[in-house]
Amino acid sequence: MSTQTSDRNFIVNVSPQSKYQHSKNTLSLTDVSPTGKTWEKHRTNADKISDYYASAGEGCFNRYAWRMRMCSEVLEFQLVPEPSEDILQLKLSDARFCRVRHCPVCQWRRSLMWKAKAYKILPQVIADYPKYRWLFITLTVKNCNIEELRLTLDGMNKAFKRLTELKAWRAKGWVKSVEVTKSRDGVSAHPHLHILAIVPPSYFSHGYLSHVKWIALWQQCLRIDYQPIVHVSAIAKHHDPKALIPEILKYQVKESDLVANREWFLELTRQLHKTRGIAVGGVLRQYMRELEEKNQDLIDESEASDEADKGYLSFRWKRESKKFKYEDLSTSCLDSDSRGSYSNPRKTAI
């Protein structure tokens, strides 16, 4: 009997039992779950970035390298039966994460948790402000040298604050995220802001801003002598603003940009050190304040399940094959206290 699962679950052969036990010895995570490929991609890139940090010869980078080397080396999944006896769902129950800002594994997990929280919160916002509308705004500046990224972002954040203080700014609340992409020249950076804003119904009758006006206001707030690129779109009344959550709460830097060039990446790390990627303002702050927290949980506690009488599968990262391979932790020489001391193990759902 083979279990058939959704894209969230693992496919596990549970019968005949003896055959299953034998096959576990050669199992990889990709053998039992589509998300195994995602884990492997992020973990492979984490090794690349760890090598970047290790070769930099800087104290803090050496620490980052060590932490990322140990990140998510062992993943333990809990077997959770579904109502149908033919289905087993596996949920991540134990893993150690390094929490280095640019670790691809932790960046992925952090984005997942941001999105999960936002999806849970937004329905209450919509219920409390049923007649309000939503805008999706992208604010940009000219590309800058990677060495000037911090200064450029500081100017953009100050300009956005000025924008929110103008009488023309009608939004009652907003979520702002910073995204940095690598420019086509491979050297400079392209920083921009994504904003999900809630506006009163009157915005579309006597407070509406044309595209030309948006550009003029952003130019004014930036205090620059050129017209910046601005994109503004209104979400239709019958459309759900949750559809924009992935765009707002995605990675601050694309993973492909993180691993593309060692020197660019190391300078990016220096420039973004102690900067904020997510900010919430206005009425939305009372709902989404926790999105701004520095030490985000990389788990969803609400999905933790009763651990009694549950089976487990564990997988260890094998760098040679770039695979998470099944491992029987009951016979492993590494106990739970020897997997790394920088982060406590947490319970989560995959």
Side-chain angles (χ1 to χ4, degrees):
M1 168 174 65
S2 283
T3 65
Q4 299 300 316
T5 64
S6 70
D7 60 355
R8 174 184 171 84
N9 302 335
F10 291 76
I11 300 172
V12 181
N13 187 334
V14 295
S15 178
Q17 188 68 13
S18 59
K19 180 179 179 181
Y20 171 57
Q21 292 293 341
H22 176 72
S23 67
K24 284 199 302 184
N25 295 325
T26 57
L27 276 178
S28 71
L29 194 52
T30 53
D31 292 330
V32 293
S33 170
T35 56
K37 291 183 179 180
T38 304
W39 276 103
E40 289 173 357
K41 182 190 84 168
H42 296 315
R43 195 63 197 80
T44 297
N45 284 332
D47 280 342
K48 289 181 182 178
I49 291 176
S50 177
D51 290 341
Y52 286 170
Y53 281 139
S55 64
E58 298 181 26
C60 64
F61 286 173
N62 288 335
R63 291 192 294 272
Y64 292 164
W66 179 84
R67 287 165 58 184
M68 289 180 65
R69 189 80 172 171
M70 302 286 286
C71 182
S72 61
E73 279 206 318
V74 177
L75 307 175
E76 186 174 280
F77 296 94
Q78 185 181 54
L79 288 136
V80 180
E82 290 292 298
S84 168
E85 294 182 358
D86 293 337
I87 295 178
L88 287 175
Q89 180 181 3
L90 273 78
K91 294 183 178 180
L92 185 67
S93 62
D94 196 345
R96 293 180 181 272
F97 297 105
C98 68
R99 298 179 183 275
V100 173
R101 181 171 187 170
H102 300 299
C103 168
V105 175
C106 294
Q107 180 176 260
W108 168 53
R109 299 297 302 180
R110 192 178 299 112
S111 178
L112 289 178
M113 300 321 301
W114 277 339
K115 293 171 188 176
K117 290 176 181 178
Y119 286 140
K120 185 177 180 180
I121 293 167
L122 264 183
Q124 185 59 54
V125 179
I126 295 170
D128 291 346
Y129 297 91
K131 295 183 178 180
Y132 278 57
R133 298 282 299 279
W134 297 81
L135 302 178
F136 179 58
I137 308 164
T138 300
L139 304 173
T140 75
V141 295
K142 285 182 178 179
N143 294 350
C144 65
N145 292 330
I146 186 65
E147 293 83 2
E148 299 173 351
L149 179 59
R150 180 185 294 272
L151 184 63
T152 302
L153 287 175
D154 183 58
M156 293 178 73
N157 287 322
K158 288 179 179 178
F160 181 73
K161 186 175 185 297
R162 295 186 198 107
L163 181 65
T164 62
E165 293 170 349
L166 295 177
K167 186 177 180 180
W169 176 259
R170 300 296 306 280
K172 298 301 180 183
W174 57 91
V175 179
K176 174 179 65 106
S177 66
V178 176
E179 183 179 11
V180 179
T181 56
K182 191 184 226 229
S183 303
R184 293 181 180 179
D185 61 15
V187 178
S188 55
H190 176 54
H192 45 287
L193 308 179
H194 294 300
I195 298 101
L196 181 63
I198 183 172
V199 295
S202 59
Y203 170 80
F204 294 93
S205 57
H206 55 270
Y208 181 78
L209 296 177
S210 66
H211 185 248
V212 171
K213 185 62 175 176
W214 272 108
I215 293 174
L217 289 176
W218 182 231
Q219 179 180 358
Q220 171 190 329
C221 293
L222 282 170
R223 298 173 180 174
I224 55 177
D225 59 2
Y226 64 89
Q227 290 188 335
I229 296 174
V230 176
H231 296 288
V232 181
S233 58
I235 301 174
K237 290 182 180 180
H238 60 284
H239 287 167
D240 192 337
K242 290 200 298 293
L244 288 173
I245 288 301
E247 184 67 21
I248 293 290
L249 301 179
K250 62 184 179 180
Y251 307 156
Q252 185 177 10
V253 184
K254 293 178 182 177
E255 196 164 319
S256 58
D257 284 348
L258 292 179
V259 299
N261 180 280
R262 173 183 172 274
E263 293 306 320
W264 190 90
F265 167 74
L266 292 176
E267 186 58 34
L268 175 84
T269 301
R270 299 183 188 102
Q271 292 292 317
L272 291 183
H273 183 58
K274 292 188 177 181
T275 63
R276 180 183 293 183
I278 300 289
V280 186
V283 299
L284 293 186
R285 199 148 196 273
Q286 61 182 303
Y287 298 91
M288 302 185 180
R289 185 189 304 268
E290 60 187 39
L291 294 181
E292 298 178 299
E293 295 174 359
K294 292 182 179 179
N295 296 318
Q296 290 280 342
D297 279 340
L298 304 185
I299 55 133
D300 187 348
E301 295 281 4
S302 66
E303 297 192 49
S305 57
D306 184 4
E307 296 183 26
D309 301 323
K310 299 294 190 300
Y312 292 86
L313 285 179
S314 298
F315 297 85
R316 181 178 292 276
W317 178 241
K318 301 294 184 180
R319 289 185 173 84
E320 301 80 9
S321 60
K322 294 182 171 54
K323 295 277 187 183
F324 278 98
K325 291 289 189 178
Y326 170 78
E327 179 170 285
D328 185 353
L329 291 186
S330 65
T331 61
S332 174
C333 63
L334 290 178
D335 59 27
S336 60
D337 292 330
S338 64
R339 296 178 198 164
S341 59
Y342 51 80
S343 177
N344 293 325
R346 303 306 302 254
K347 305 295 183 184
T348 184
I350 182 69

